[in-house]
Amino acid sequence: SILKFGGYIDKYTIDDALADKVILPLIYEGRYVEMTQNRKKIDRHADRITKNSNKEQKKYLQKFISSKIIKNNPHRIDEIAYNIVNHYVDNFQNSGLKAQVVAPSKFSAILFQKFFEGYGGISSAVVISDVGPKEDEEDNRKKEVIDFLAKIKHKYRDLKSYEDSVVESFKNNPDGIEVIIVVDKLLTGFDAPRNTVLYLAKDLHDHNLLQAIARVNRLFENKKIPKTSGFIID
């Protein structure tokens, strides 16, 4: 802390890094998804989960549950996925520059992948961790994630082998996987200089947000079109 160790000896800011040309500038664009709430479904779900809670706990949980249901709503995911396909194809496809989608949950990450596979147009893959026994997910949604991961484990030796294959294709093959869908993995310490666009469908704050956006500001000498900026599509 400052009280214990004193003030900063020196600071090296993002502006300093830009001036030294060791990173690229970031361009931010906020996009809006039209949504309608199924209020009865949300209220019913909230009542079930909060039945043993006190008044203050109920108030907090109801707000959290409403937000979670909306963010993982399949209609919302389809709308965002459709927008992503068109944005990526129009601006970056066949250029060698790649993108990441940050999904709000493992279930919604799989929804993104299913939309991309069904709609066509881009080559994508999901990179998520295995399902833990205490993960907060509805049983039917958790089962869908477990089944999805089981198919990957059947095809590859394990999830790590699959992840290594996806990352290799994404990082080093300009014609390989174009878009990686993630939730928490590959948002910190993942260095793929051709990674250019971050599509944010999940709330990120503070350190997590800074770590995530730093995935797309790396310098990269691209053969087809120059990488001049990183793009955050929120």
Side-chain angles (χ1 to χ4, degrees), residues 22 33 64 75 141 144 211 224:
V22 295
V33 180
F64 173 76
H75 170 67
R141 294 187 171 190
E144 186 151 353
Q211 285 288 318
K224 292 189 177 179

Side-chain angles (χ1 to χ4, degrees), residues 24 97 193-196 216-218 220 222 225-229:
L24 293 171
L97 300 177
R194 67 172 70 250
N195 194 4
T196 303
V216 295
N217 68 358
R218 299 287 193 268
F220 183 63
N222 196 46
I225 64 171
K227 180 182 177 182
T228 57
S229 304

Side-chain angles (χ1 to χ4, degrees), residues 99-101 125-127 166-167 170 177-182 186 190:
Q100 277 183 288
V101 177
V126 177
V127 174
V166 170
V167 169
F170 183 83
I177 290 168
E178 300 168 300
V179 176
I180 291 183
I181 306 156
V182 302
L186 305 185
F190 175 53

Side-chain angles (χ1 to χ4, degrees), residues 132-150:
K134 294 184 179 179
E135 287 198 27
D136 180 25
E137 197 71 84
E138 291 180 32
D139 288 344
N140 61 327
R141 294 187 171 190
K142 184 182 282 189
K143 183 180 184 306
E144 186 151 353
V145 176
I146 291 169
D147 290 346
F148 180 87
L149 292 174

Side-chain angles (χ1 to χ4, degrees), residues 1-143:
S1 70
I2 291 175
L3 290 176
K4 186 173 183 179
F5 298 106
Y8 292 107
I9 296 172
D10 191 18
K11 292 181 183 179
Y12 189 74
T13 67
I14 289 176
D15 286 341
D16 292 331
L18 286 169
D20 291 341
K21 297 182 179 179
V22 295
I23 60 172
L24 293 171
L26 291 166
I27 295 175
Y28 174 88
E29 180 182 348
R31 295 193 171 197
Y32 178 72
V33 180
E34 188 83 34
M35 282 296 299
T36 57
Q37 287 189 38
N38 184 337
R39 189 168 293 280
K40 287 184 179 179
K41 180 181 178 182
I42 291 173
D43 288 344
R44 186 167 61 246
H45 191 64
D47 287 342
R48 289 171 181 168
I49 289 179
T50 62
K51 65 181 180 180
N52 295 320
S53 303
N54 62 41
K55 191 174 180 180
E56 284 301 311
Q57 289 172 329
K58 279 188 177 183
K59 190 174 180 181
Y60 170 78
L61 287 170
Q62 282 169 346
K63 183 178 178 182
F64 173 76
I65 291 162
S66 298
S67 173
K68 184 177 178 184
I69 288 176
I70 291 168
K71 285 169 186 161
N72 288 284
N73 183 291
H75 170 67
R76 174 180 184 264
I77 300 302
D78 283 356
E79 287 294 312
I80 296 172
Y82 176 77
N83 194 266
I84 287 171
V85 171
N86 285 282
H87 182 269
Y88 182 82
V89 168
D90 289 347
N91 294 285
F92 300 103
Q93 192 163 55
N94 299 319
S95 69
L97 300 177
K98 309 288 185 81
Q100 277 183 288
V101 177
V102 188
S105 69
K106 293 175 184 178
F107 172 72
S108 61
I110 292 167
L111 291 182
F112 272 115
Q113 177 66 3
K114 287 185 173 181
F115 181 93
F116 293 149
E117 288 175 343
Y119 187 79
I122 61 173
S123 172
S124 63
V126 177
V127 174
I128 54 177
S129 58
D130 214 341
V131 178
K134 294 184 179 179
E135 287 198 27
D136 180 25
E137 197 71 84
E138 291 180 32
D139 288 344
N140 61 327
R141 294 187 171 190
K142 184 182 282 189
K143 183 180 184 306

